Every structure is written in structure tokens, then in C-alpha cells.
Amino acid sequence: MMLDRLRQAVDAGFAQQTAFLTELVKFPSTRGEEAPLQDWMARQLAARGYSVDRYVLGDLDMSHLPGFSPVLDTDYSRAVQVVGTRRAAAPTGRSLIIQGHVDVVPTGPTALWSAPPFSGDAKGEWLHGRGAGDMKQGVSAMVFALDAIRAAGLELTADIHVQTVTEEECTGNGALSTLARGYRADAVLIPEPTDATITRAHVGVMWFRLRVRGVPVHVARAQAGSNAIMSAYQLILALQRHTEQLNAAARQDPWFGGIPDPLKFNPGVIRGGDWASSTPAWCEVDCRIGLLPGSTLEDARRGVERCVAEAARADGFMANNPPDIIWNGFQADGYVLEPGSDAERVLAEAHQAVFGAPMEERRSTAVNDTRFYGLYHHMPALCYGPRGINVHGFDEAAHLPTLQQVTLAIACFVTEWCGVREVG
Ligand SMILES: [Zn+2]
């Protein structure tokens, strides 16, 4: 029976898959530093017989495309993307894009990790490291689910594109570039760490930078100056109140109404000032705020602009020296995977066969890349993957037993979706 053949192949390859994941984690692929990992990935796919398209974001002009996020200070000449394709000789099944991101968020102070963040150490059921959970384990599942199908003596009867992208954690422009380059399929699977649930909906996210001025004087005469850091603090408080109002309205939302405070505001980076005994003349705060699926980015931006303008008007200095808002990074719509697609039905059956229980759904208060395929190109985009803990935190880890099961579920899904024939 198909499930048993695939299970045998996934189990037989799992030690190798774990070693592959360790290799992935050892690349410190934070933003702008993904190229060595992507070069390695391209070689891995080529060695498996995929035809590989490797390119950098700097080669493409995407600024006119729906879903594009602006970037002010990032070098795209080293932002390598990889697409491995295996074409069926005479396709009879349904094609598939299987995609994962390899960029990871910064580690924070490494002293607070119990082992170095790029060690890839495995301890019992857990494999440790920044990106181990989100989502290098998902990338290993993509590659090894397809390996298992081959090892089981089967060949897909539809085209498959295996994509590893960057920029998922900040813009989504990596995923967008694969579409700009023309890759399409009948369905898309992204194995983010969802703990084997399907993502029904995710919120949108916007990034912006507040730029606040001040008047530098010696602190001895602070009353004659203006402190840009304290002004920024006022704006942060105003944006927190704005977010509370958004969350009160979100209680009526069909997808997120049941989730307390689904929209999060985060002042994530702050810099400013030059000297402890001078009132700071400048302050910049990089912020992130969520929005509901179905609401427009334009409206959400206007809301933020109105909030900041009102807070500035109420302040003696900022009323005459209004702060700037710079939209830089994520300008990401929310997305709903409409229930009832064939792709979701096939995945649910694969999940049921492997886990012996129905596939549950989740609603995510963070973005993922599915919006590009689902929202702008109407391909059913399934976000379903293994289990990770402490993603974006200290001691991030991948849960290996769940990874093994999810790899099998993906192998079952792919064989059923794309179709297979016996080799030799
Ligand atoms: Zn992720």
C-alpha cells in the first residue's frame, strides 16, 4: 500500500534528513547573509536531478507588482533565490509549487541561548537553533518528502517546483520574485511550523519607521531643548491606543473575531541621540502593525498617519516639527484560504492517513508567503508544516518526531496531488 511504501522511505531517510537540517541551521542566514546557504541548496537540488534556476532579487524589477514591499537600505545584489524544477515527461497530474524561506531573524544576545544559536545541536526529540523551527525544518521536509517518493520507486506525473526564498521575515519579495519570474502551478504548499494544522487565515503586516526630531541643548538647560526620544515615546503610546481601537473593531471580524487582540503593534528597533548629557536631536523607531484580511493597506496606513498626526498636534514641539513616517519593509495584505479547495481536501486526507486524526485549522496573527499565490494569483496556497518552539525567541527548536510525520504527510499529499507512476 502507498502509505506504507512512503513511510518506509521517509523513515529510512530520516537520519539523513536530520543531518541535512543540521547543515541548514549551521548557515547563519540572517537578512542579507543567505547567499552561501542558497548556493549550497542549489547544489543539493542539482545533485538530485532538478534543473536549477538561481538568481538574485537585484536582477528583477518588481516595484510595480501587487504585493511588493519597499526597501530603503537593503542590497538585493546578494539576495539569492533558488527554484529547482522537475518536469514530468508527459504530465497528466496537477502541478505543484512547494516553497520554504531560508532567511532567519536575528538571534538577540547569544549569552541567553543554552547552546550557540547556529550549532544545530540535536538533543532527544529536539533540534536546536535559530531557524531550526522557522522554517529550515520545513525546507528539509520539502526536499526529503520528494526524495522519499523517488526512493519508493515512484515518479511524479506532473511538474514540481521546489523553491527556497529569502525576505519572508521582512518583505515577502523573495516569494514575489518567483511569480515575477513566471513560476505557476495548480497548488502551492508552504511548510511553515504550524504543528500539523492548516492555516485558514493570516493577518496582514506593515512596517514603518518613525523619524522624530529634537533640539539639542545641554541637559542643564533641558527646558530650552526638545528630547526626540521622549517625543518618540509619546508617539509609541498613541500607537498603542490606536491598536487597542483596531482590536476592539476586530471583534466583529469573521476570521479573527474569536481571537483576543489579533492585531499587534510592536516598536521593534529604536535608535537616537548622540550623548547622554545632550537632549537628543533625533530618534528613529522601526515599527510593525497588523491589519485584518479584507481591509486595505491604504486604509491601515491612513489610520497610522492620522494617529501620529493627532499626537504630534497635541505636542508643543512636534506640532511645529511634525515627525515623518517612512513605509519601509512589509506592506503585506492578510489572506484567507477559502475552505473547499481540492488541494486542501487532498492534504486533509494525507494528514488523516498519517496522524489518524482530522487536520485542524489555525488562524495566524503573523504573515506568511501564501498571500502572494492565493491572493494575487488565485492558486490554492496551503500553509501546513511541522512543529517548532520559541520561533523568533531564545532556544528555538524543531520537534523531530512531528517533522518525520509531517514529511510523510507531505509525501502522501504530493503523490496524490501530482500523481505517480512506477519507475522501472
Ligand atoms: Zn516562517
Side-chain angles (χ1 to χ4, degrees):
M1 175 194 163
M2 184 70 77
L3 176 64
D4 295 328
R5 282 172 72 179
L6 292 172
R7 176 176 282 126
Q8 234 167 39
V10 168
D11 292 355
F14 196 68
Q16 208 193 336
Q17 182 177 348
T18 307
F20 180 94
L21 175 54
T22 301
E23 284 300 305
L24 280 177
V25 173
K26 282 182 173 169
F27 287 100
S29 54
T30 50
R31 192 181 195 190
E33 304 299 327
E34 307 95 339
L37 185 160
Q38 289 285 59
D39 294 341
W40 180 82
M41 194 68 207
R43 288 195 293 277
Q44 287 286 325
L45 292 174
R48 286 166 164 82
Y50 295 89
S51 67
V52 174
D53 179 14
R54 184 172 55 137
Y55 60 94
V56 295
L57 293 183
D59 289 346
L60 285 89
D61 176 19
M62 298 189 291
S63 54
H64 59 291
L65 296 176
F68 177 76
S69 290
V71 282
L72 294 180
D73 39 18
T74 302
D75 176 12
Y76 270 174
S77 68
R78 296 179 32 165
V80 179
Q81 316 297 310
V82 174
V83 178
T85 298
R86 184 171 273 145
R87 292 181 174 85
T92 52
R94 294 166 288 195
S95 59
L96 181 68
I97 288 169
I98 186 162
Q99 191 256 58
H101 69 85
V102 296
D103 53 317
V104 302
V105 300
T107 60
T110 51
L112 294 170
W113 288 70
S114 55
F118 297 110
S119 59
D121 288 350
K123 229 183 268 149
E125 295 189 340
W126 298 94
L127 195 143
H128 165 108
R130 169 61 79 236
D134 180 13
M135 61 168 286
K136 290 176 173 177
Q137 58 168 338
V139 170
S140 83
M142 292 161 33
V143 173
F144 280 79
L146 297 172
D147 282 2
I149 293 169
R150 302 276 286 190
L154 301 164
E155 190 174 84
L156 299 183
T157 53
D159 294 350
I160 188 153
H161 303 292
V162 181
Q163 307 178 336
T164 52
V165 302
T166 69
E167 289 283 294
E168 192 274 344
E169 300 284 6
C170 45
T171 61
N173 290 340
L176 178 62
S177 76
T178 64
L179 291 156
R181 221 158 160 86
Y183 293 102
R184 301 286 186 278
D186 295 318
V188 180
L189 175 70
I190 301 184
E192 290 272 8
T194 69
D195 200 0
T197 62
I198 183 83
T199 308
R200 176 62 60 211
H202 71 66
V203 300
V205 165
M206 299 186 310
W207 278 13
F208 57 95
R209 178 171 293 170
L210 294 172
R211 188 171 283 161
V212 187
R213 292 165 199 79
V215 176
V217 295
H218 193 293
V219 174
R221 312 185 291 111
Q223 68 283 1
S226 179
N227 185 319
I229 292 176
M230 293 308 292
S231 295
Y233 182 60
Q234 284 183 48
L235 300 181
I236 289 170
L237 293 177
L239 284 161
Q240 275 180 335
R241 290 190 295 271
H242 173 66
T243 310
E244 280 165 23
Q245 288 166 11
L246 295 177
N247 278 316
R251 284 186 213 124
Q252 312 303 321
D253 186 76
W255 301 107
F256 287 93
I259 295 178
D261 300 335
L263 302 178
K264 314 291 185 193
F265 164 69
N266 186 51
V269 180
I270 185 162
R271 17 181 143 61
D274 302 299
W275 194 248
S277 285
S278 303
T279 50
W282 65 284
C283 181
E284 288 183 348
V285 190
D286 290 347
C287 303
R288 176 266 200 214
I289 194 166
L291 66 145
L292 293 168
S295 51
T296 70
L297 291 164
E298 209 189 344
D299 282 349
R301 281 192 287 261
R302 263 205 300 269
V304 167
E305 282 162 358
R306 205 178 309 122
C307 162
V308 169
E310 273 168 23
R313 263 199 303 276
D315 176 87
F317 177 78
M318 284 193 285
N320 295 311
N321 300 275
D324 293 321
I325 300 175
I326 299 135
W327 301 96
N328 177 31
F330 273 131
Q331 302 299 314
D333 291 288
Y335 171 59
V336 175
L337 171 70
E338 291 299 336
S341 69
D342 250 17
E344 183 180 333
R345 184 184 51 75
V346 173
L347 179 62
E349 285 170 10
H351 174 92
Q352 171 81 45
V354 171
F355 287 84
M359 179 173 72
E360 312 254 314
E361 64 174 57
R362 72 201 270 269
R363 284 142 210 228
S364 172
T365 54
V367 276
N368 62 58
D369 275 339
T370 50
R371 68 188 181 280
F372 291 101
Y373 309 92
L375 195 59
Y376 310 124
H377 293 274
H378 310 292
M379 305 175 214
L382 311 168
C383 182
Y384 168 94
R387 177 173 173 216
I389 52 161
N390 301 335
V391 300
H392 295 217
F394 299 125
D395 289 345
E396 177 176 349
H399 188 239
L400 296 173
T402 311
L403 175 60
Q404 194 165 351
Q405 279 184 299
V406 164
T407 303
L408 177 58
I410 291 174
C412 292
F413 164 73
V414 174
T415 50
E416 186 59 33
W417 181 257
C418 297
V420 283
R421 63 181 192 85
E422 303 284 339
V423 184

